[in-house]
Amino acid sequence: MSTVDADLDVDLDKPVRCDDLEVTEARQAQVGSLTVRRLLPLRLRRSVGPWCFVDHYGPADVDGVAGMQVPPHPHIGLQTVTWLLAGDVLHRDSLGNEQMIRPGQLNLMTAGRGIAHAEESPAPHQPWLHGVQLWVALPEASRNVAPAFEHHAALPAGRAGDLQVTVFMGTAAGLSSPATAYSGIVGAELAAGRHAAAALPVDPEFEHVLFVAAGSAELAGRPLGPGRLLYAGPGREQLTVSAAAGSRLFLLGGRPLGERLLMWWNFVARSPEEIASATADWRAGDSRFGQVGGYQGDPLPAPALDPSRLRAR
Ligand code: MN
């Protein structure tokens, strides 16, 4: 997915204050015709481990309408993680990959130095669409790797307490995802078939967020529903989760990145010059990003850029 607007260009001159355990509210954002809950980045928290962008959308009734329509757009410096709870989405990229994704599967696109992709509801498509679009910031040593795409049709799944745990990135509950990762990371979906309670073991070197995609839960003692994000700082051995029957939750975390990210539009970089150069390359149709074949329609134009407003943190 893409940030069609340029609202990641947040003014970051205010001092940073982050509590060890806190709940924050999503911002509403528009991605084409879809309204999304944007849980990250936050003004005061740009990343959690390497996770630097968290959109939760739906469940949306897309029966007989276009559904998701995100035209070709570029990325640098990140991995996109696509995970569905309901529906289907077709991915096409400038490496020539064309891949349908369905619930329980992972599409992982490593942008590295540059890639372009489009995502759309296929025709015909399932009547409901519900999912998350996540970005992982690549660390300094890996952020210019060659672009790549992976589809994982099945991911390791097991139990933690009463919760069903499916691990799509890194390791959780003793299960490891086969997906390529470049830094210490965890990404998992937690499902409660009936009312479920668990003490979820976590890596004490990692910071984490938990959020509810469906249903309701009490996380580390805080009540949460969709549209709220719980942050838990490093130093914990476990996170307590109590979830109502039918709830679907996400656990994301990792070793704190310790790098100042500069995020603008669909780019994760370190300097305004890199952002300006990627924007110019996209506008020029440069081979750095290539062409996305098969999409009916024009690519997304880059929004207007004022490099003097960009600040890293
Ligand atoms: Mn995208």
Side-chain angles (χ1 to χ4, degrees):
M1 198 181 284
S2 158
T3 57
V4 179
D5 51 12
D7 73 351
L8 295 183
D9 173 18
V10 190
D11 180 358
L12 295 164
D13 290 337
K14 291 271 174 64
V16 174
R17 182 197 60 81
C18 293
D19 292 334
D20 176 61
L21 191 71
E22 68 178 11
V23 175
T24 52
E25 305 288 329
R27 289 180 287 147
Q28 283 219 337
Q30 209 61 36
V31 177
S33 62
L34 278 182
T35 301
V36 305
R37 301 173 194 86
R38 184 150 298 155
L39 293 159
L40 271 186
L42 294 165
R43 184 183 181 83
L44 297 181
R45 180 168 290 117
R46 188 128 280 209
S47 57
V48 174
W51 299 98
C52 61
F53 181 90
V54 175
D55 267 2
H56 168 219
Y57 55 89
D61 182 354
V62 295
D63 197 15
V65 300
M68 182 183 292
Q69 294 296 327
V70 182
H73 59 277
H75 287 289
I76 64 167
L78 57 83
Q79 294 175 296
T80 61
V81 171
T82 303
W83 185 262
L84 296 179
L85 298 169
D88 41 11
V89 170
L90 180 64
H91 159 99
R92 291 189 178 98
D93 66 42
S94 52
L95 301 177
N97 298 293
E98 181 172 325
Q99 179 67 56
M100 193 75 75
I101 182 169
R102 297 191 169 87
Q105 306 180 337
L106 170 67
N107 273 2
L108 176 67
M109 186 180 78
T110 301
R113 72 174 90 92
I115 196 168
H117 73 148
E119 287 166 301
E120 59 186 317
S121 296
H125 53 255
Q126 297 293 315
W128 290 92
L129 184 59
H130 189 194
V132 294
Q133 178 66 45
L134 314 170
W135 294 357
V136 177
L138 291 170
E140 180 62 32
S142 309
R143 65 195 187 91
N144 290 308
V145 295
F149 176 79
E150 296 170 23
H151 174 76
H152 297 276
L155 280 303
R159 300 198 77 79
D162 305 324
L163 290 168
Q164 165 105 2
V165 180
T166 307
V167 182
F168 50 84
M169 291 295 286
T171 299
L175 305 161
S176 291
S177 166
T180 302
Y182 291 89
S183 60
I185 191 169
V186 60
E189 191 206 314
L190 317 174
R194 52 187 167 83
H195 180 86
L200 208 60
V202 294
D203 188 326
E205 290 185 14
F206 285 12
E207 55 184 346
H208 295 88
V209 287
L210 280 157
F211 64 95
V212 175
S216 63
E218 198 167 288
L219 307 172
R222 313 283 180 101
L224 254 75
R228 307 181 80 201
L229 183 80
L230 176 94
Y231 172 85
R236 292 179 163 78
E237 306 272 346
Q238 58 181 40
L239 293 166
T240 59
V241 175
S242 158
S247 295
R248 314 281 292 270
L249 285 67
F250 286 85
L251 169 72
L252 305 175
R255 194 165 295 114
L257 205 54
E259 294 182 37
R260 293 163 64 90
L261 301 179
L262 181 56
M263 297 172 62
W264 184 82
W265 195 37
N266 294 302
F267 304 138
V268 176
R270 301 296 185 275
S271 72
E273 292 74 22
E274 285 175 60
I275 297 281
S277 150
T279 303
D281 286 348
W282 177 245
R283 287 184 176 144
D286 191 88
S287 60
R288 170 183 185 169
F289 294 114
Q291 300 288 324
V292 180
Y295 183 84
Q296 303 298 312
D298 293 332
L300 278 183
L305 169 66
D306 178 359
S308 70
R309 289 199 58 220
L310 299 177
R311 300 273 186 283
R313 57 166 282 198

